Amino acid sequence: MRYFLGIDVGGSKTHALIADESGCAAGFGTAGTGNYQGVGYGGFRNSLHQSTRQALAAAGIQMADIAGAGFGIGGYDWPSQLPKHRSVIDSLGLDCRMEIVNDAVIGLVAGTSEGWGIAIVGGTGCNCRGRDRQGREGRVTGEGGRFGEWGGGIELVGKALQAVSHAWSRRGPQTELSNTFMQLTEAASLDDLIEGIDLGRYEPNASWAQEVFRVAYAGDPVAKQVIAWAGREEGELACAVIRQLDLQEEAFEVVQIGGLFDGGPLYTDVVHQTILDLAPKARFVRLSVPPVVGSVLLGAHAAGLPTARIREPLIRTTEELLRAEKTD
């Protein structure tokens, strides 16, 4: 029996999953963040080894039993980063074929029925990756506002703060977001809020996006405009990748990844319409399986196994495995 290892290295956690060639999930492991941008390459190595050891122990196999491996790595954005990431991966002692990609790609592989299409990430930040039928890849930088890419939680909160600042200076209309952000920070006044953010006493973060949604659904027009802006920007990321891959006339799936896609129609309807204006045959799916499933599929593909036949059993047995772990 051949086994395949999948690793999902993210900004908050690292997951390892092992499955056999029938698509049966056999072992799962977890560790903390492995993104080198936050914990360095030493932290990446520790999380990689910890999660893999757990998965091997749960599956009851050895590293030598792994026939293929796939790695979706947060922070791995450019080809020039491969040598350092590969040196850490090589420390596992694997002797098999493998594929190493950005973590947005494994969401694409896990969420699409045929392993190609578009994946858009609307979480703490934003990102977009795509693959066409021939395996060509398209992308944005994934580096946010520095390169004019907005649409994630931190960008949405930043836009909301601009609206609050404009209300404070009377450049723009008043908004309930002002009172909401004052409550979040316990600022004594709007003056205190603006000054405190400017001088670093108060630190806005992506979790504030939940409050922007709450205020919007309560009817605040400024908050609604902020969310619509973020939705358009998120949709435009996908449009850029669609153009790169010439998918405008194709029927393909767009996988939606990240918490903002749980924010309801004020966000998702705008994202969808922005994409449909360019690619009217696009279909939208919410990622509902762990992205690490995509890493296993990449590992199986690297080893030469046709992945179409194992995708559904892999998803089913992975969900069963994770449910069982939660009840232990």
Side-chain angles (χ1 to χ4, degrees):
M1 180 69 75
R2 294 191 297 170
Y3 292 88
F4 308 102
L5 170 67
I7 304 286
D8 172 18
V9 180
S12 60
K13 66 359 179 213
T14 300
H15 287 165
L17 178 66
I18 292 172
D20 65 26
E21 59 190 345
S22 71
C24 180
F28 180 77
T30 185
T33 178
N35 187 323
Y36 86 99
Q37 293 170 321
V39 295
Y41 284 100
F44 172 34
R45 184 184 188 280
N46 292 339
S47 293
L48 195 63
H49 280 255
Q50 179 183 337
S51 59
T52 302
R53 283 197 304 268
Q54 290 180 15
L56 288 169
I61 64 171
Q62 303 297 316
M63 196 74 76
D65 297 314
I66 301 296
F71 298 84
I73 303 174
Y76 170 55
D77 298 312
W78 303 103
S80 62
Q81 296 172 305
L82 181 58
K84 286 188 176 180
H85 281 83
R86 184 59 191 258
S87 68
V88 174
I89 291 169
D90 286 346
S91 71
L92 287 173
L94 287 166
D95 183 19
C96 64
R97 293 185 179 275
M98 63 181 69
E99 186 167 0
I100 304 168
V101 298
N102 177 269
D103 59 342
V105 175
I106 60 173
L108 169 64
V109 174
T112 54
S113 57
E114 297 181 3
W116 68 276
I118 301 291
I120 46 176
V121 180
T124 298
C126 58
N127 201 355
C128 185
R129 296 273 177 146
R131 284 186 171 185
D132 66 10
R133 294 178 187 271
Q134 291 73 41
R136 287 192 306 146
E137 293 197 0
R139 58 168 295 183
V140 296
T141 70
E143 296 296 333
R146 178 185 300 179
F147 292 102
E149 297 168 5
W150 296 282
I154 195 63
E155 294 88 24
L156 186 151
V157 170
K159 189 69 169 179
L161 283 172
Q162 291 176 9
V164 169
S165 173
H166 289 179
W168 170 78
S169 66
R170 303 297 177 92
R171 177 180 172 182
Q174 296 302 301
T175 170
E176 183 58 30
L177 291 169
S178 300
N179 289 327
T180 297
F181 289 171
M182 286 166 58
Q183 292 169 6
L184 284 172
T185 58
E186 299 183 349
S189 64
L190 188 53
D191 285 352
D192 180 41
L193 175 70
I194 299 298
E195 178 185 339
I197 291 174
D198 183 40
L199 299 181
R201 294 199 306 271
Y202 306 130
E203 292 292 339
N205 61 73
S207 68
W208 291 18
Q210 298 175 9
E211 291 300 304
V212 179
F213 276 95
R214 182 188 62 77
V215 172
Y217 281 107
D220 186 86
V222 174
K224 288 181 180 180
Q225 291 169 9
V226 167
I227 292 172
W229 169 84
R232 286 190 297 272
E233 292 295 329
E234 182 80 7
E236 287 294 346
L237 299 182
C239 288
V241 176
I242 290 167
R243 293 187 191 98
Q244 291 171 34
L245 298 176
D246 300 314
L247 297 179
Q248 294 93 320
E249 303 303 322
E250 292 266 11
F252 60 92
E253 293 160 312
V254 178
V255 183
Q256 302 161 110
I257 305 169
L260 288 191
F261 289 102
D262 296 326
L266 288 179
Y267 183 77
T268 57
D269 284 0
V270 178
V271 175
H272 294 175
Q273 192 57 56
T274 302
I275 295 170
L276 290 171
D277 286 344
L278 177 69
K281 297 178 184 178
R283 304 188 305 274
F284 300 94
V285 296
R286 182 73 167 93
L287 184 65
S288 60
V289 302
V292 71
V293 166
S295 296
V296 174
L297 292 172
L298 287 178
H301 181 265
L305 182 74
T307 56
R309 67 179 180 84
I310 70 167
R311 183 177 185 272
E312 291 305 321
L314 176 60
I315 290 172
R316 184 184 69 255
T317 58
T318 298
E319 291 173 340
E320 291 170 354
L321 180 64
L322 295 181
R323 279 198 300 268
E325 288 210 351
K326 288 180 179 178
T327 58
D328 287 346

